């Protein structure tokens, strides 16, 4: 989705904040053909899109019609999308920690530790990250330790339905 800073963002299925419902339908029709097993979406870099309540409402209606869940990446200061989604009947949640904004493995480890602290305090937490080698290495190295301490790692969709 459209970020406030359009840095090298020219994806074939880029969703812009000025898209109306019919434009969203066209994008989701194409995505659904390519990813028929998708259970949800997130806004990735969508800080501009998520700051527009009209857009978020159109998105919520489109997601509801397709029975897709929503995870807000929380890319901007505005954070009202989850409320709009839930009001529209869409299962939604916002992320707590972005694991790999910085690709440095020590910083990813620190973010993973932060995610675990939140989960231990609240009982659950949502972490998101990119498909990156560094992130995979950190997860492979640390997940067994956390699991042995009683921390369970689940898909976001499993938490969406509970919270």
């Amino acid at each position: 989705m459209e970020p406030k800073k359009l840095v090298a963002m020219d994806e074939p299925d880029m969703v812009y904040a000025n898209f109306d419902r019919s434009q969203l339908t066209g994008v989701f029709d194409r995505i659904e053909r390519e990813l028929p097993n998708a259970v949800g979406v997130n806004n990735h870099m969508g800080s501009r899109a998520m700051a527009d309540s009209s857009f978020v409402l159109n998105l919520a209606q489109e997601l509801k019609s397709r029975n897709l869940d929503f995870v807000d990446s929380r890319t901007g200061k505005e954070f009202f999308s989850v409320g709009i989604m839930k009001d529209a009947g869409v299962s939604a949640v916002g992320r707590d920690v972005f694991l790999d904004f910085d690709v440095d493995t020590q910083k990813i480890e620190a973010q993973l530790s932060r995610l675990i602290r939140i989960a231990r305090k609240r009982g659950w937490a949502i972490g998101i990250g990119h498909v990156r080698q560094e992130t995979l290495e950190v997860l492979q190295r640390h997940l067994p330790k956390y699991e042995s301490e009683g921390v369970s790692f689940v898909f976001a969709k499993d938490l969406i339905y509970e919270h």
Side-chain angles (χ1 to χ4, degrees):
M1 292 183 194
E2 181 181 6
K4 288 183 179 172
K5 295 179 182 177
L6 287 174
V7 180
M9 293 302 297
D10 190 22
E11 299 288 327
D13 287 316
M14 174 67 102
V15 174
Y16 293 92
N18 66 353
F19 274 17
D20 62 21
R21 179 75 189 274
S22 66
Q23 290 169 300
L24 283 174
T25 297
V27 170
F28 276 94
D29 285 347
R30 287 192 308 278
I31 291 170
E32 197 171 59
R33 283 191 302 273
E34 293 178 24
L35 301 168
N37 296 319
V39 297
V41 301
N42 82 311
N43 55 298
H44 189 51
M45 296 176 64
S47 55
R48 182 178 308 269
M50 292 294 100
D52 184 325
S53 59
S54 296
F55 170 83
V56 174
L57 182 57
N58 282 333
L59 177 63
Q61 292 167 346
E62 189 64 30
L63 295 177
K64 176 65 176 168
S65 74
R66 295 171 188 273
N67 197 32
L68 292 172
D69 302 332
F70 180 73
V71 175
D72 190 336
S73 299
R74 297 183 71 174
T75 55
K77 294 177 183 173
E78 300 84 2
F79 186 61
F80 52 80
S81 66
V82 170
I84 290 174
M85 293 290 168
K86 288 183 176 184
D87 287 348
V90 176
S91 297
V93 70
R95 68 108 176 128
D96 295 296
V97 174
F98 197 90
L99 295 172
D100 58 1
F101 183 77
D102 193 315
V103 184
D104 178 86
T105 56
Q106 289 181 330
K107 291 182 180 179
I108 297 170
E109 288 172 349
Q111 288 296 89
L112 180 60
S113 293
R114 183 171 165 241
L115 178 69
I116 299 302
R117 282 192 306 277
I118 293 168
R120 285 184 171 146
K121 183 176 182 176
R122 186 173 65 205
W124 62 277
I126 300 279
I128 63 172
H130 293 98
V131 180
R132 293 183 172 150
Q133 186 63 39
E134 295 84 359
T135 306
L136 177 62
E137 289 171 7
V138 167
L139 293 174
Q140 287 175 326
R141 195 166 48 247
H142 292 281
L143 292 190
K145 175 186 80 137
Y146 287 125
E147 287 175 335
S148 74
E149 295 172 358
V151 176
S152 297
F153 291 87
V154 299
F155 292 104
K157 69 180 180 73
D158 297 327
L159 290 175
I160 287 174
Y161 298 117
E162 294 178 23
H163 302 94

